[in-house]
Amino acid sequence: MFIGHYGVALAAKKVDKNISLGLLFFATQFVDILFFVLILMGIERMSIVPGITAANPLDFTYYPYSHSLTASLLWAGLFFVVFKITSSISGSRNNRIALVVAAIVLSHFFLDVIVHRPDLPLFGDDSYKLGLGLWNYVISSSLIEILILVAGLWLYLKSTKSITFGGKYGMIIFAVFLIMMQMASLFMPPPPDIRGFATFGLVYQLMVVGVVSWLDRKRG
Ligand SMILES: [Zn+2]
């Protein structure tokens, strides 16, 4: 899943307004960011197989460290521990930020299950693999992603306020950009090479995190 993950991050702002949206976007895309890094390091693997799903040509051949259920639980646990320690150091006894951030990290796996082919392993690569395969239906998978993003945006706009132009419309304009990028990806030719794809993915995700943290600061 792509932009649907962002919808979950936006919605989480309703639970706790004090968590930076940049952090929530980083958390929701953490396993993809890790995946791109592991691809560039040669540890995880994917290939481009045109036609493998109707929506995209991505064949995830080996990604147990970023995308298995066990790894997702461990990464979510790690985020919980880090943010629990950070909040204890800052004198707060509030576990909420740690819980929200960990839940967002874990949500990535379950949203991916909706769209991926059965390629998401439970443990290691040779374990049972999950995936409902909605990417085989371009319209349904695109609609679900857009719906989750719009619902998240609506909750975000309801739980934060701004009187400036940038604060009022910035996030809406950026969400339209994200939807257009997702739709454009349906018509783009397959990426020519994996390293280029991973580098672009990594830079794009970090750019999105940067833009939303900047826009979020414009809303109280
Ligand atoms: Zn993913």
Side-chain angles (χ1 to χ4, degrees):
M1 185 166 282
F2 304 109
I3 57 174
H5 294 299
Y6 302 144
V8 177
L10 284 158
K13 199 75 176 177
K14 175 123 184 103
V15 183
D16 192 331
K17 285 190 207 94
N18 298 318
I19 311 179
S20 136
L21 192 65
L23 170 60
L24 291 169
F25 266 61
F26 182 77
T28 202
Q29 283 298 70
F30 173 73
V31 303
D32 275 2
I33 291 170
L34 178 69
F35 173 63
F36 294 135
V37 172
L38 295 178
I39 287 275
L40 291 171
M41 291 169 72
I43 295 171
E44 293 198 335
R45 290 188 296 276
M46 65 173 289
S47 52
I48 303 298
V49 180
I52 195 161
T53 72
N56 63 63
L58 311 178
D59 183 12
F60 302 100
T61 42
Y62 183 75
Y63 60 170
Y65 305 110
S66 63
H67 274 75
S68 68
L69 176 60
T70 315
S72 303
L73 284 164
L74 288 172
W75 293 122
L78 181 72
F79 269 75
F80 179 80
V81 171
V82 168
F83 283 91
K84 171 114 180 88
I85 292 172
T86 318
S87 71
S88 314
I89 291 170
S90 67
S92 144
R93 294 234 180 97
N94 192 349
N95 281 343
R96 193 191 280 184
I97 293 184
L99 273 173
V100 171
V101 173
I104 296 290
V105 172
L106 186 58
S107 76
H108 187 106
F109 177 85
F110 293 100
L111 287 187
D112 271 1
V113 165
I114 300 172
V115 292
H116 279 229
R117 298 182 312 119
D119 60 19
L120 292 154
L122 287 182
F123 323 99
D125 187 57
D126 47 4
S127 67
Y128 184 75
K129 292 181 178 174
L130 295 170
L132 300 174
L134 202 63
W135 271 339
N136 285 318
Y137 307 92
V138 176
I139 297 176
S140 318
S141 59
S142 304
L143 271 178
I144 282 217
E145 297 226 28
I146 294 171
L147 266 175
I148 302 174
L149 179 74
V150 171
L153 178 67
W154 181 70
L155 286 171
Y156 171 79
L157 294 174
K158 263 184 57 170
S159 27
T160 54
K161 278 194 177 54
S162 175
I163 45 163
T164 65
F165 180 85
K168 257 185 172 167
Y169 303 110
M171 199 65 79
I172 299 172
I173 293 167
F174 192 58
V176 171
F177 165 78
L178 292 172
I179 292 172
M180 283 167 57
M181 286 297 283
Q182 167 112 0
M183 299 318 288
S185 75
L186 296 172
F187 303 100
M188 281 175 196
D193 76 295
I194 300 298
R195 290 186 70 81
F197 173 77
T199 308
F200 172 80
L202 185 59
V203 172
Y204 183 75
Q205 292 305 337
L206 296 176
M207 182 275 292
V208 169
V209 168
V211 172
V212 296
S213 22
W214 174 64
L215 289 171
D216 190 43
R217 269 181 258 128
K218 296 181 180 296
R219 295 185 68 87

